[in-house]
Amino acid sequence: CVKSFSKLLSVYALPVLNTTPDTVICNDSRVTLSVSGASSYKWTPANAVACDTCASTLIYPNVVSRFFVKGTSVNGCVSKDSVQVFVRSKPMITYGGTKNVCKGNSTQLYASGAVSYKWSPATGLDNAKTSNPRAMPDTTTNYAIVGFDDVGCHSDTGYVKVVVNSLPQVEAGPDKKINISTSTEIVATISPDVEEVKWSPPDAIFR
């Protein structure tokens, strides 16, 4: 004798996970990892994420890390995916020291070690977003410089001071008229910061 049995077998599709793509962040930064396509989720390592069962979770990696996520559908089917997070160290920039200029003159600033730069304040600079702007401030100014790499990670802030010195004050006195073959004394008035006085033409000066 033969006896038959039948049973309906349901086959459910695996959930298709849509996960944050591999990404690059700056050191000491945070990033949100997200996933969709399933009913519930489990991130690992659990101690490296802010919420290991959330669809979106914050992470704070200090080194290159890979994060794994398991998504479970309402029917209990499971799919897995992972996200690698690359951590960039901040760029290290070098820059010049204090500059001294006379009022009305300019000086060259420079920085190196980054892809792009930002100087501030922009006042007195011909270009605040270049590595080597020319500076001609009206008064002594302390310029801050920050360098950025190709993904926007920024360096520590550096400072370059431009000291603007006032022009010396010199007054030769009023015009004079004298007879031929005679001499006269010219008394100049100068500011205290003058260190040297030079008259011209030299062959007409006796002392």
Side-chain angles (χ1 to χ4, degrees):
C1 297
V2 177
K3 194 171 185 179
S4 299
F5 295 92
S6 65
K7 185 175 182 180
L8 181 63
L9 182 64
S10 298
V11 178
Y12 300 104
L14 295 175
V16 178
L17 300 182
N18 297 306
T19 312
T20 300
D22 293 348
T23 189
V24 179
I25 66 170
C26 305
N27 192 29
D28 296 328
S29 297
R30 63 184 183 178
V31 67
T32 298
L33 301 184
S34 299
V35 62
S36 62
S39 179
S40 62
Y41 306 97
K42 179 68 175 179
W43 292 92
T44 55
N47 61 352
V49 297
C51 176
D52 65 329
T53 58
C54 297
S56 295
T57 184
L58 281 173
I59 60 167
Y60 306 83
N62 291 318
V63 296
V64 177
S65 305
R66 184 172 288 278
F67 297 86
F68 300 89
V69 61
K70 180 176 71 173
T72 304
S73 70
V74 292
N75 298 309
C77 299
V78 174
S79 289
K80 297 179 180 179
D81 200 358
S82 66
V83 181
Q84 185 149 4
V85 178
F86 299 89
V87 180
R88 284 281 188 92
S89 298
K90 59 187 176 185
M92 303 296 293
I93 62 171
T94 57
Y95 46 89
T98 299
K99 301 279 190 174
N100 285 275
V101 297
C102 294
K103 188 176 180 64
N105 292 342
S106 66
T107 185
Q108 191 89 52
L109 308 183
Y110 74 87
S112 62
V115 174
S116 60
Y117 303 87
K118 181 179 180 181
W119 296 85
S120 60
T123 305
L125 301 180
D126 64 343
N127 187 344
K129 295 184 178 180
T130 185
S131 62
N132 57 344
R134 290 205 69 84
M136 192 170 68
D138 291 329
T139 59
T140 296
T141 303
N142 203 23
Y143 288 103
I145 172 62
V146 177
F148 300 85
D149 66 11
D150 57 336
V151 296
C153 298
H154 64 82
S155 67
D156 290 334
T157 302
Y159 295 92
V160 178
K161 190 174 186 179
V162 178
V163 179
V164 179
N165 298 300
S166 299
L167 295 176
Q169 301 298 310
V170 178
E171 174 57 53
D175 294 344
K176 291 188 175 185
K177 293 181 179 181
I178 62 173
N179 295 324
I180 296 176
S181 300
T182 62
S183 64
T184 188
E185 184 176 32
I186 301 175
V187 179
T189 302
I190 60 177
S191 56
D193 58 334
V194 174
E195 296 181 349
E196 180 183 358
V197 175
K198 185 176 182 180
W199 293 90
S200 63
D203 57 356
I205 306 299
F206 298 104
R207 61 180 176 86

